[in-house]
Amino acid sequence: MFISREAELSRRAFLKRSSQLAAMGAASSYALGLAGIGEAAAFSDVQDYKALVCVFLYGGNDHGNTLIPFDAANYARYADIRGGQGDEGGGIALPRASLANTVLATPDDQELAYNQTYALAPSMPRLKARFDEGVMAPLLNVGPLEAPMTRAQYDNRSVPRPAKLFSHNDQQSTWQSSNPEGARTGWGGRMSDLAQSANTNAMFTAINATGNAVFLSGQQAVPYKVSSSGATLFRPLRSNRLYRSSGAAQALDAILLTGTGNIFAADHATMNNRSITFGGFVNDA
Amino acid sequence: MSDESVSERASPEFETARPPIEHAPSVTSLDKRLRERGPQRPLAGAARGVGVALGALATAACGGGSGSGSTSSNSGTGTAAPPPPTVLRPANEAEASRFLLQVGLSASTQAISDVSDQGFEPWLDAQIARPNDQTGRQFFAARGFDQVDDNRHYNGSAQGDYMIWSQLMTGGSQVRKRFALALSEYFVVSLSGINLTWRSPAIGAYWDLLNEHAFGDFRELLEAITLNPAMGVFLNTRGNRRADERSGRVPDENFGREIMQLFTIGLFELNPDGTNRLSAGEPIETYTNEDVNGIAKVFTGYDYDFTGIGFTRETNGNRDIPDADYVYQPMTADPSRWQRPRSEGFHSEAEKSFLGLTIPAGTGPEESLRQALDHLVAHPNVGPFFSKQMIQRLVTSNPSPDFVRRVASVFDNNGRGVRGDLCAVFKAIVLDDEALNPANATNAAFGKLREPMLRFAQLGRTFGMRSTSGDWLLRDMSDQSSRLGQSPLRSPSVFNFFRPTYFPANSQAADNNLLAPEFQLVNETSVAGYINFMERAVETSGFQFRDVELDYSSEAAIADDSAALVDRLDLLLSANQLSAEVRGLVQSGIDAIEIRTGTETEDRLRRVHAGVLLVMASADYLVQK
């Protein structure tokens, strides 16, 4: 996709804006979410709650059958590569006619090189509707390159390739952090570091709804983990009963916060403490 | 904050985020041979540990590899063979329990007594010599889970969970199972990621082969996992075909990549002590994508072996279901043995070139596989790469480079010129001074977080869990908010539940350059989910535990004496590693439950429940040291 305002949209510019915002203290102070970041993207002075929601698909996605070339020339190429013939498709190419209802109309203020048009997979009519509402956009040709490169440069290695190409876990880490597995911070965490000061309760700057991913780890920011139904609370502490005994529940409370003499024990007690301290807050929010 | 300060904070991270962690600081002082006596009570009659070069003994009782018929001197059950000249024994019950929890799944007073009487190595040899007398396959057969009937078990995966929980909770050799479980986290296949008819027996077949080869030969194990149907489905070897120039299709590279990255050599060239070799300060990659292209051709042409497999028409359906036996047969590249026999197979006979080996064009599947696996296993990385991860699973997240080197050298040569003797490797790990030395129990950087599935298995084993129905209806425990957050043989991907180089951000572990792989499972949700799960598990209440019971009779018998109860739980569950503070808190929790006239039995049981839960909630227990 041809975008002429590349500099304004780059990640670096994005982070710069975020920091300006954090410095001004203009962000919403509502606890949950990346308030500062939301403000930064809009570069406005809105006071309400904003969050940036990121979904990362660990598994494979057949991108070629998700966003499909629809203009005649590029559809023909797509069909040919995928074992089809002409507009009938075939092989693993979808028939061109089946795409008619999900063709994406190029916005008036943008243009695609070579007059390309795209369609979403026919099974994605809801995303098509979101696109038509103007609240969804595909970003093409985005990836964690070290530097722009051509096929020839890739082949002759005149431009550095991203490390560990084709290694699944390393590429997942690279998308999240720009570094292979072992990276200490990810993009979300770095943004959170900048936004943290603008949030009343820094713990909730970055919230994770699945496993421990590097994306949300920052220099200071740590992701807060919730389940799909909110925070999980320690049942015996909430009821102040362990096997019907409040004394036993109180012993549990103290034990959960005790971790001495060993580094890992201390780290585990710290996590218990975070869970206890913030769990109720999340579910009340 | 100015623009400049942004780049100041951000850019170093963008450029050089690779962490400088090759290994942790040395955590053991090997010259601490004279053991520091802690507050533990010495065991009456037990010989004191003496400084002895364990490395020389570590391989003494291993046979010559799995296929050769072990001639262990300790294979007899009652009459002990003459012991080695110097036998190292636990100095006290705590040391015995600590050892049992490193090499197995639980401790008992009987096992503590046995290992104290016999010494570490003789006891271990006897355990290793025990045959694998309880298999997953037997479980499926005994429960009728391999029958084609109205239950449609051929479509189910829950029976796979029942199988592995029954294996972990009861019977067989704990030592073999403990090592097999560690292997299952290295050679990962996940029940959650295999879709085939009879997937439960398929994961059972995989579990069985890990147990069968656990004390066998690495090369044989590698071939067995390569041709196992569950692995074949999981990493796409099954049905993988040679390249087709017309369509541009190339062989699937999943298994070819992972067998190098995860199962044998890893990403970077290693020193014998497991640290990265460096060139101009940078790690050296072991393979390129061209090597992946080359080795991928080896794993083409395989499919299920249907030799001798019959079919049964399903009830109320029109599918013909193959006998469950097919998932136990290694895949074959001989197309005459496939479900739909062919005259010609799909193996690539193109030249296969990788890692400096060239298998000439025209080489068939068996010979290509033999050369490829031989070549991989001969790579100098395998010893340190495999050994370090096994140490991490069994003993400590941050072994010293010397520890890794000692074990890797046993991998390279078991003392009789054999490479990849897994029995010798296992013994070298658990009998190493760094593992046995009780001084490490108080080393702040030593140990590892017990995995949730091991905690639950320990609960079951310690307190005699039994299944009311015999079906062991314990299911997938992966959910973090309501269950364990981990379920055996159900890793979310081939990269295991956690990565060996993981450490939590902004933690003391990170500040101290320590790896903490198991912490990849630790977050605000999972720590609470664990306690909630265990609260029910300990008293086996609620739907999840409807089919299992625990036997606390020994604990209930001393429940009136809270100090004695804490003593027993501390010894059996955490090898006396609870701090005085935690012991006091556990005791206070027990004492809070009064034994009232008329409800004595129930109240004693509640005191035991509280004691067990409180111990297993404590960080002193959770970190195995």
Side-chain angles (χ1 to χ4, degrees):
Chain A
M1 185 175 287
F2 175 72
I3 294 175
S4 61
R5 298 174 296 155
E6 189 177 300
E8 292 175 51
L9 294 175
S10 74
R11 287 180 292 205
R12 202 168 289 267
F14 182 73
L15 291 178
K16 280 184 181 176
R17 287 181 187 175
S18 304
S19 75
Q20 288 163 351
L21 191 92
M24 294 189 312
S28 157
S29 62
Y30 195 77
L32 297 177
L34 293 162
I37 295 301
E39 303 275 354
F43 207 59
S44 66
D45 195 30
V46 183
Q47 293 292 316
D48 65 352
Y49 162 67
K50 283 188 176 172
L52 178 64
V53 178
C54 301
V55 178
F56 189 86
L57 300 178
Y58 278 94
N61 164 246
D62 182 1
H63 63 89
N65 267 354
T66 302
L67 189 66
I68 302 150
F70 186 73
D71 60 281
N74 287 297
Y75 178 85
R77 290 176 179 148
Y78 152 85
D80 185 52
I81 289 170
R82 299 206 146 216
Q85 271 195 330
D87 283 357
E88 296 303 310
I92 53 171
L94 297 162
R96 190 163 183 237
S98 73
L99 305 174
N101 290 331
T102 46
V103 176
L104 302 180
T106 307
D108 292 341
D109 57 348
Q110 293 185 28
E111 65 178 275
L112 294 175
Y114 311 113
N115 294 316
Q116 294 173 86
T117 54
Y118 284 92
L120 285 168
S123 56
M124 305 176 90
R126 290 177 187 166
L127 272 183
K128 162 70 161 65
R130 302 296 283 165
F131 181 87
D132 291 343
E133 290 166 26
V135 294
M136 191 278 274
L139 297 180
L140 304 185
N141 300 320
V142 176
L145 289 178
E146 305 273 314
M149 62 161 63
T150 64
R151 173 64 186 259
Q153 288 168 327
Y154 174 85
D155 286 336
N156 66 27
R157 292 178 175 271
S158 58
V159 172
R161 300 176 180 185
K164 301 291 162 215
L165 279 181
F166 305 106
S167 165
H168 302 147
N169 57 325
D170 287 300
Q171 292 310 304
Q172 287 164 356
S173 175
T174 300
W175 271 88
Q176 295 179 32
S177 71
S178 271
N179 280 285
E181 191 174 277
R184 287 179 173 246
T185 65
W187 288 108
R190 294 167 201 153
M191 291 191 288
S192 301
D193 283 341
L194 297 172
Q196 234 175 4
S197 63
N199 280 340
T200 303
N201 195 332
M203 178 54 68
F204 300 115
T205 304
I207 295 183
N208 190 358
T210 58
N212 298 7
V214 69
F215 179 78
L216 283 177
S217 290
Q219 299 279 11
Q220 288 86 35
V222 287
Y224 180 85
K225 172 69 171 29
V226 296
S227 76
S228 53
S229 53
T232 301
L233 307 179
F234 289 86
R235 192 174 51 229
L237 303 190
R238 194 174 41 163
S239 63
N240 193 31
R241 287 288 184 282
L242 178 62
Y243 305 123
R244 308 206 306 274
S245 163
S246 60
Q250 284 151 24
L252 175 64
D253 197 359
I255 282 172
L256 289 172
L257 301 178
T258 304
T260 52
N262 181 282
I263 287 165
F264 308 113
D267 280 338
H268 200 276
T270 299
M271 184 60 79
N272 283 339
N273 189 17
R274 271 168 41 191
S275 182
I276 293 168
T277 305
F278 299 113
F281 184 89
V282 168
N283 285 0
D284 291 344
Chain B
M1 193 184 293
S2 70
D3 286 3
E4 286 68 31
S5 68
V6 178
S7 53
E8 190 183 332
R9 286 179 69 185
S11 53
E13 194 54 37
F14 298 163
E15 312 302 332
T16 60
R18 186 169 298 166
I21 289 191
E22 307 300 342
H23 56 81
S26 174
V27 294
T28 306
S29 162
L30 289 171
D31 55 359
K32 281 191 178 172
R33 286 288 184 183
L34 291 175
R35 300 190 165 179
E36 298 164 10
R37 300 280 166 219
Q40 297 111 336
R41 292 146 299 167
L43 188 74
R48 292 294 166 95
V50 291
V52 56
L54 284 165
L57 296 176
T59 63
C62 292
S66 61
S68 62
S70 171
T71 53
S72 163
S73 62
N74 290 282
S75 56
T77 49
T79 55
T86 311
V87 173
L88 194 62
R89 288 187 166 82
N92 50 44
E93 292 182 310
E95 286 184 25
S97 178
R98 178 172 185 259
F99 177 71
L100 289 166
L101 296 176
Q102 285 175 334
V103 304
L105 297 163
S106 67
S108 66
T109 50
Q110 181 64 51
I112 288 171
S113 171
D114 289 347
V115 74
S116 299
D117 290 345
Q118 298 167 26
F120 293 117
E121 186 172 16
W123 182 88
L124 189 63
D125 286 340
Q127 299 300 313
I128 289 171
R130 284 183 61 180
N132 182 21
D133 56 3
Q134 178 210 43
T135 64
R137 190 175 195 167
Q138 289 166 346
F139 175 80
F140 293 118
R143 309 313 307 172
F145 292 154
D146 57 0
Q147 297 300 305
V148 178
D149 57 27
D150 287 350
N151 292 307
R152 299 181 181 240
H153 292 313
Y154 43 85
N155 289 334
S157 67
Q159 297 74 32
D161 296 308
Y162 306 158
M163 180 280 301
I164 187 61
W165 284 122
S166 80
Q167 289 270 312
L168 294 182
M169 292 298 178
T170 189
S173 164
Q174 285 197 33
V175 170
R176 184 181 294 276
K177 289 177 181 179
R178 179 67 193 88
F179 196 39
L181 192 66
L183 291 170
S184 80
E185 300 191 71
Y186 181 90
F187 300 108
V188 175
V189 172
S190 176
L191 179 54
S192 306
I194 52 171
N195 190 4
L196 75 170
T197 304
W198 294 116
R199 73 184 87 171
S200 291
I203 203 72
Y206 193 73
W207 171 249
D208 285 350
L209 83 79
L210 293 178
N211 279 273
E212 178 190 346
H213 292 272
F215 300 125
D217 174 77
F218 184 89
R219 169 66 176 76
E220 289 178 24
L221 172 58
L222 190 64
E223 182 158 336
I225 65 123
T226 299
L227 298 180
N228 171 270
M231 178 66 88
V233 173
F234 191 53
L235 292 183
N236 311 121
T237 300
R238 183 252 154 179
N240 190 13
R241 296 186 185 183
R242 62 175 167 249
D244 177 6
E245 281 183 26
R246 203 163 38 90
S247 69
R249 187 190 68 222
V250 296
D252 186 283
E253 295 175 348
N254 236 2
F255 189 79
R257 177 179 305 280
E258 308 308 5
I259 195 174
M260 292 195 290
Q261 179 177 345
L262 300 175
F263 302 159
T264 55
I265 65 176
L267 292 173
F268 300 109
E269 291 188 14
L270 301 176
N271 293 307
D273 65 4
T275 59
N276 281 340
R277 294 184 65 206
L278 300 178
S279 171
E282 289 294 312
I284 306 159
E285 303 202 359
T286 47
Y287 60 85
T288 66
N289 204 49
E290 287 69 36
D291 294 314
V292 177
N293 302 152
I295 200 171
K297 298 175 200 166
V298 173
F299 307 108
T300 53
Y302 288 92
D303 213 322
Y304 305 131
D305 185 347
F306 270 78
T307 308
I309 298 299
F311 290 82
T312 306
R313 173 58 58 97
E314 66 180 351
T315 49
N316 304 318
N318 49 18
R319 283 171 66 202
D320 287 321
I321 306 300
D323 300 342
D325 289 345
Y326 91 92
V327 299
Y328 296 93
Q329 304 190 157
M331 295 185 295
T332 178
D334 175 355
S336 72
R337 304 166 75 94
W338 293 350
Q339 182 171 9
R340 293 182 186 78
R342 298 169 48 90
S343 56
E344 195 198 348
F346 294 119
H347 184 74
S348 170
E349 298 207 350
E351 180 181 281
K352 308 170 179 93
S353 182
F354 53 91
L355 299 175
L357 173 72
T358 297
I359 300 173
T363 308
E366 290 81 8
E367 177 61 15
S368 294
L369 185 66
R370 186 188 68 76
Q371 289 188 34
L373 298 187
D374 282 353
H375 191 61
L376 285 173
V377 174
H379 194 289
N381 263 34
V382 182
F385 186 72
F386 174 75
S387 301
K388 182 172 180 181
Q389 288 183 60
M390 289 300 107
I391 296 170
Q392 285 185 306
R393 289 293 71 72
L394 296 165
V395 177
T396 182
S397 298
N398 297 274
S400 72
D402 277 345
F403 188 5
V404 176
R405 184 180 46 70
R406 289 191 294 272
V407 177
S409 74
V410 171
F411 184 98
D412 292 347
N413 182 345
N414 68 353
R416 295 188 302 281
V418 176
R419 178 177 178 78
D421 176 351
L422 294 172
C423 171
V425 170
F426 177 70
K427 290 184 65 177
I429 291 170
V430 300
L431 294 174
D432 192 276
D433 183 78
E434 192 161 322
L436 283 181
N437 196 324
N440 273 329
T442 52
N443 178 334
F446 189 82
K448 64 182 173 66
L449 188 72
R450 288 182 207 272
E451 297 175 51
M453 62 181 176
L454 286 169
R455 304 172 202 165
F456 186 43
Q458 187 184 1
L459 176 79
R461 290 247 170 202
T462 306
F463 305 110
M465 185 178 280
R466 57 181 289 273
S467 162
T468 311
S469 69
D471 285 346
W472 289 94
L473 305 177
L474 295 168
R475 306 194 61 153
D476 179 356
M477 302 298 182
S478 301
D479 188 89
Q480 288 195 333
S481 60
S482 62
R483 299 187 177 187
L484 271 177
Q486 186 188 33
S487 210
L489 307 179
R490 280 203 184 262
S491 168
S493 79
V494 72
F495 300 106
N496 198 23
F497 304 98
F498 39 76
R499 301 293 297 131
T501 52
Y502 180 84
F503 54 88
N506 297 296
S507 64
Q508 290 195 31
D511 292 347
N512 287 279
N513 262 9
L514 294 173
L515 304 174
E518 291 82 0
F519 272 79
Q520 200 163 345
L521 297 175
V522 175
N523 54 56
E524 293 85 351
T525 294
S526 69
V527 293
Y530 165 68
I531 295 296
N532 296 344
F533 176 89
M534 289 301 284
E535 184 194 19
R536 296 281 190 254
V538 164
E539 60 172 9
T540 55
S541 67
F543 180 77
Q544 293 189 69
F545 308 108
R546 68 196 180 283
D547 186 43
V548 292
E549 295 171 358
L550 292 167
D551 174 6
Y552 293 111
S553 51
S554 298
E555 290 70 32
I558 56 171
D560 293 44
D561 180 350
S562 59
L565 181 56
V566 173
D567 280 347
R568 179 177 171 88
L569 298 178
D570 189 6
L571 176 66
L572 294 183
L573 294 173
S574 54
N576 283 356
Q577 291 181 356
L578 299 186
S579 66
E581 181 184 6
V582 168
R583 284 176 57 92
L585 288 166
V586 174
Q587 194 172 345
S588 76
I590 294 168
D591 286 336
I593 298 171
E594 201 181 335
I595 298 175
R596 299 157 302 175
T597 309
T599 56
E600 290 91 345
T601 304
E602 180 200 330
D603 293 337
R604 288 192 180 105
L605 205 51
R606 284 168 59 219
R607 281 164 77 94
V608 174
H609 292 161
V612 172
L613 190 279
L614 291 172
V615 170
M616 296 185 81
S618 73
D620 290 349
Y621 161 79
L622 292 172
V623 179
Q624 182 174 10
K625 303 174 283 282

